């Protein structure tokens, strides 16, 4: 039985960045309300950019928060923030692919699994624990479903 869950360290660092951005937004809005040190265009551009980055980070964090359990010839996908739970038998896997990218002497891996009901999940080694366990499980239970990756 393999349990793939989000890495706490990744979500902690992203939470620190979100807190820093919120503090910056509050500081800029407070400065605008009390002092008005800069021109109106600066406040409009700065607040818009910070808000957009905040929204993108929050959506990424919330969309990536999932638990996947693989074992007993099935894969269970749980999205606790949406109240979603789906059990897929191994036979329902249409294809799975592992992408490996080397950047700055570090290896980034992403696993994508497509299911028969046209749903797919993606898991990366930097955002989820037990990534290699899921890859090994798929190699053992669904080796013929693996997509042959192209070499550049």
């Amino acid at each position: 039985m393999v349990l793939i869950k989000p890495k706490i360290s990744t979500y902690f660092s992203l939470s620190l960045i979100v807190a820093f951005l919120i503090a910056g937004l509050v500081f800029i809005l407070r400065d605008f309300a009390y002092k008005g040190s800069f021109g109106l265009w600066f406040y409009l551009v700065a607040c818009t950019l910070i808000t957009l980055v905040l929204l993108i980070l929050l959506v990424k964090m919330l969309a990536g928060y999932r638990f996947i359990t693989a074992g007993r010839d099935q894969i269970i996908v749980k999205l606790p923030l949406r109240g979603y739970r789906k059990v897929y038998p191994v036979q329902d896997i249409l294809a799975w692919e592992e992408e490996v990218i080397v950047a700055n002497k570090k290896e980034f891996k992403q696993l994508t699994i497509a299911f028969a009901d046209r749903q797919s999940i993606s898991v990366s080694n930097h955002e989820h624990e037990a990534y290699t366990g899921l890859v090994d499980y798929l190699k053992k239970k669904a080796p013929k479903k693996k997509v042959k990756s192209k070499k550049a």
Side-chain angles (χ1 to χ4, degrees):
M1 192 70 102
V2 180
L3 175 64
I4 296 85
K5 58 185 181 177
K7 283 187 178 178
I8 293 176
S9 60
T10 302
Y11 276 84
F12 179 73
S13 7
L14 287 174
S15 297
L16 285 178
I17 293 170
V18 166
F20 181 72
L21 288 171
I22 289 173
L25 186 62
V26 167
F27 176 76
I28 288 175
L29 291 173
R30 187 177 187 281
D31 184 66
F32 174 71
Y34 292 116
K35 296 179 188 172
S37 307
F38 305 103
L40 180 63
W41 63 270
F42 173 79
Y43 293 109
L44 290 173
V45 171
C47 289
T48 303
L49 285 175
I50 291 174
T51 303
L52 283 174
V53 171
L54 262 170
L55 288 174
I56 290 170
L57 270 175
L58 287 172
V59 166
K60 175 166 180 27
M61 288 173 66
L62 295 176
Y65 193 72
R66 65 176 62 105
F67 295 93
I68 301 165
T69 307
R72 298 184 187 152
D73 293 330
Q74 63 185 6
I75 295 176
I76 303 169
V77 179
K78 293 181 210 164
L79 303 169
L81 297 174
R82 290 172 56 190
Y84 177 81
R85 184 179 188 274
K86 181 80 179 197
V87 178
Y88 294 102
V90 174
Q91 298 85 2
D92 281 358
I93 297 175
L94 288 179
W96 64 275
E97 178 184 26
E98 182 180 28
E99 295 178 62
V100 179
I101 299 170
V102 178
N104 294 332
K105 299 178 185 174
K106 286 191 175 185
E107 202 173 61
F108 297 95
K109 297 180 181 181
Q110 180 170 333
L111 176 69
T112 304
I113 306 170
F115 297 103
D117 65 351
R118 298 185 185 200
Q119 296 292 324
S120 66
I121 56 170
S122 294
V123 181
S124 70
N125 65 334
H126 282 274
E127 294 180 8
H128 298 88
E129 296 177 358
Y131 172 85
T132 54
L134 180 60
V135 173
D136 293 340
Y137 178 80
L138 289 172
K139 284 180 182 176
K140 181 177 146 187
K141 294 291 183 177
K144 294 180 181 178
K145 307 286 180 140
K146 183 176 182 180
V147 174
K148 307 292 188 249
S149 56
K150 298 175 188 173
K151 301 280 181 176

